[in-house]
Structure formats: C-alpha cells, structure tokens
Amino acid sequence: SLLMERARIEYAWPWTEKHVHTGDMERSFLRYLLSVDPHVDWMGGKDMIVVVQYAYGFFQNGFKHVCEIQEKISEFCSSSGPVHITFILGVTNHWVVLTAYKTGEPCLCGRDHTHLNYKKSENTVNGCHTNRHSSCTHERVNLIYLDSNNAPAIIFSDDDIVKRVEENEKEIMSIKGKGYDEWKRSMHQQAYKDQRDIVLKLASCLSGECDLRGEVAEDYTHRFLESFSAKVDDPLNSEGPDLYLPLLLNWIENFYPPQMLREFMFSPTFCCLSETSCNKLLNWAEKKQCASKGHASKWIV
C-alpha cells in the first residue's frame, strides 16, 4: 500500500513500517503531535501532559509507567495553584481527556476537595465524588472530563452501561441492518466501564486520597490470585491432582506468562502492597512451591 511504502522511508511521517504492521497508529501519531504541535507549549509543555493506556481494568504499559504517573500526580498535589495537568487517556477503544487544575482557591464544599465537571453538549454535572472528609482545608482541585462521544460514562452504573450499548446497537442496526456480535457488544460495555473506572481512580489520586501505585499493586494481586484459583485450583479440585502441571502450564502460557510475572513480582510492586496482600501472596508462593515439587516428581521418568 502507499502507506507501507511511505513507512519504509527512513524518515516517514509519523509512522514506521513496524507501526503499520502492529496497528500502533494512533499512539505513534499522538507522540508525534506532542513533539511538534505548538499548542503543547502554550498548554505548559509536554511535562504537563500524561498519556495513559488503560484497557480491561489494566494499565497497559506496566508498573514502571504507573510509578511515573504517580510522580506527576504527586508533583501536582504538592504544588500551589495556579497549576494544571492533563491526562490523555487511551481507554480500550476510545480516547478521552481528563484535566485537573488548581487556581489557589480554597475548597468550600465541606466535603472532599476534588470537583468533577463533566462537560457535555448542553449540560454540566458538578459535584464532589466522595464525602470522606467532614471538613476541608485543602486547595480546591477541579477536574474537567472531555469525551468526543458525549457519553457520560463516568456516572454510568453497570446497568446504565448495558442500556447505553443496547441503544447504540439499535442505532447501528437502523443504519447497517445488523447489530454487534457478542465480542463487540462485550468490548463496548467494557470500554464504558474502563472509562468510568480510570477517571474515578485518577480523581481519587489527584485529591490525595490514595496512591496510584498502591491501588494498582493491590488490584494486580487480587486479579493474580483470583486468576490462579479459577484456572488452576478450581479445576484441580474437580479433576484430580494428576492435572496440576498441565493446568499450571496452561495458566502460565495463556494468562500470566513469565514476562508478566516478572513485571508483577519485581520489588517496587511488592513494596506498594498492604501487609494483608503481602501475606496472601507469600502464603500462595509457599504452597505452590511445595505443590509444584510434589506434582513434578510424578512427571519425571
């Protein structure tokens, strides 16, 4: 194709042949824009813009990137207004933007100091996302959420998401004569959930309520142990101990490959865990080490 021919040129704009083959077009284009667009300097420079990839409940660029995001959040929280930070969020199948800013104005709400403003075509929803504080002495933090689809995903319940996707599907059917297949329907529902969850997660961190590293590490631990229980322990209990190694290998190959395990287990992740989660993980590791030795002996001829 013409695009591939262009990509093979040494200084093709802005994609390489690898980008075309892997489908990584939007992210590479975004990186290019952030490096050349004059509006970026007007907005405070690249240091004030954070690009985040988030899908299916996971940060896509690893725990090291989560630590970098938290560093930017900490800088924002410790700075007095006027100050701002913008998150460009690649969420599942859509791009949205979250901007946080402080003007130096104290929060007068009597609750939390983070105010979430959802910008839609004709309406604005204002309000604190939590009421954890009985009084507030913090500097007011304002959050503006921008979505080109004008879909208020951040205030959707799970039931609202199902209804919204059904409405979208009816509209598609009226135009194309057919709706979504099961995979696409599920993916659209997940996209709305991810948009809601990442924005509320960042809002909590920007208010100083929590640390993103701890939140992500706890979530990884929960998913990790839950996955092993569902894919290895539960089938093992029903099928018998002789299937331990096949089930374990299947889990490692298809759900938690070595690269992901190394990413999860390296010390910065572990240090962010609560004592309860650390103990759960250590107990799991001890039991599985003993189990693996016992079952492996049966496979050695």
Side-chain angles (χ1 to χ4, degrees):
S1 70
L2 291 176
L3 181 59
M4 182 61 76
E5 289 178 16
R6 178 77 181 176
R8 285 173 179 151
I9 301 173
E10 187 175 358
Y11 296 107
W13 174 89
W15 302 295
T16 66
E17 186 174 353
K18 180 181 177 183
H19 292 143
V20 177
H21 276 304
T22 60
D24 183 15
M25 308 292 281
E26 292 179 337
R27 281 173 288 183
S28 56
F29 186 49
L30 178 58
R31 286 193 292 269
Y32 174 81
L33 289 178
L34 290 176
S35 66
V36 302
D37 194 322
H39 293 93
V40 172
D41 288 335
W42 178 77
M43 293 168 62
K46 284 193 294 185
D47 288 343
M48 308 306 295
I49 300 174
V50 182
V51 180
V52 179
Q53 297 289 136
Y54 187 85
Y56 292 88
F58 284 103
F59 287 86
Q60 298 298 297
N61 295 329
F63 195 75
K64 182 180 179 182
H65 185 56
V66 171
C67 295
E68 292 169 356
I69 296 171
Q70 180 56 48
E71 285 179 13
K72 294 289 186 182
I73 291 174
S74 297
E75 288 175 15
F76 173 83
C77 290
S78 62
S79 301
S80 298
V83 64
H84 74 277
I85 185 170
T86 294
F87 297 90
I88 300 178
L89 307 174
V91 186
T92 315
N93 64 348
H94 187 48
W95 290 92
V96 296
V97 174
L98 180 70
T99 293
Y101 68 94
K102 294 191 287 189
T103 62
E105 174 187 2
C107 182
L108 303 176
C109 64
R111 295 190 294 171
D112 178 51
H113 60 291
T114 304
H115 295 252
L116 187 58
N117 303 312
Y118 168 67
K119 299 293 186 183
K120 196 180 175 184
S121 305
E122 296 180 356
N123 7 201
T124 301
V125 179
N126 300 311
C128 302
H129 70 278
T130 181
N131 97 15
R132 206 172 282 183
H133 303 291
S134 57
S135 61
C136 183
T137 59
H138 295 93
E139 188 175 347
R140 174 174 170 145
V141 177
N142 300 279
L143 303 179
I144 299 176
Y145 175 70
L146 303 172
D147 175 9
S148 60
N149 284 341
N150 277 343
I154 55 175
I155 58 173
F156 277 170
S157 67
D158 287 350
D159 288 340
D160 292 333
I161 289 173
V162 171
K163 291 176 184 176
R164 180 63 180 236
V165 172
E166 286 175 352
E167 291 171 4
N168 293 347
E169 186 170 4
K170 288 177 183 176
E171 187 176 340
I172 291 294
M173 287 183 69
S174 67
I175 298 171
K176 296 185 176 181
K178 63 177 182 178
Y180 302 138
D181 58 32
E182 188 58 37
W183 177 84
K184 196 160 190 177
R185 187 179 300 111
S186 174
M187 187 265 290
H188 280 300
Q189 291 175 1
Q190 184 64 46
Y192 282 129
K193 290 177 183 177
D194 284 335
Q195 288 171 42
R196 176 192 65 194
D197 294 348
I198 183 59
V199 169
L200 296 181
K201 195 184 295 286
L202 288 174
S204 294
C205 294
L206 288 161
S207 72
E209 285 185 32
C210 63
D211 186 295
L212 188 62
R213 294 165 296 191
E215 291 285 303
V216 171
E218 291 289 325
D219 189 44
Y220 275 14
T221 302
H222 174 73
R223 288 168 181 260
F224 175 85
L225 296 175
E226 192 177 62
S227 172
F228 191 89
S229 177
K231 303 300 180 183
V232 181
D233 282 341
D234 290 349
L236 192 65
N237 291 334
S238 60
E239 299 293 339
D242 290 341
L243 286 177
Y244 180 77
L245 282 183
L247 288 168
L248 178 63
L249 290 173
N250 177 66
W251 180 74
I252 291 173
E253 288 174 1
N254 297 301
F255 297 97
Y256 278 83
Q259 183 179 356
M260 183 177 287
L261 288 172
R262 283 194 294 271
E263 165 75 17
F264 174 73
M265 293 296 186
F266 84 120
S267 57
T269 312
F270 207 73
C271 291
C272 293
L273 291 174
S274 66
E275 184 177 352
T276 300
S277 292
C278 279
N279 290 335
K280 284 182 181 178
L281 206 53
L282 289 170
N283 289 337
W284 173 87
E286 272 181 34
K287 290 178 182 177
K288 299 317 162 190
Q289 185 178 25
C290 294
S292 297
K293 287 179 179 177
H295 290 292
S297 63
K298 299 179 182 179
W299 289 72
I300 298 174
V301 180

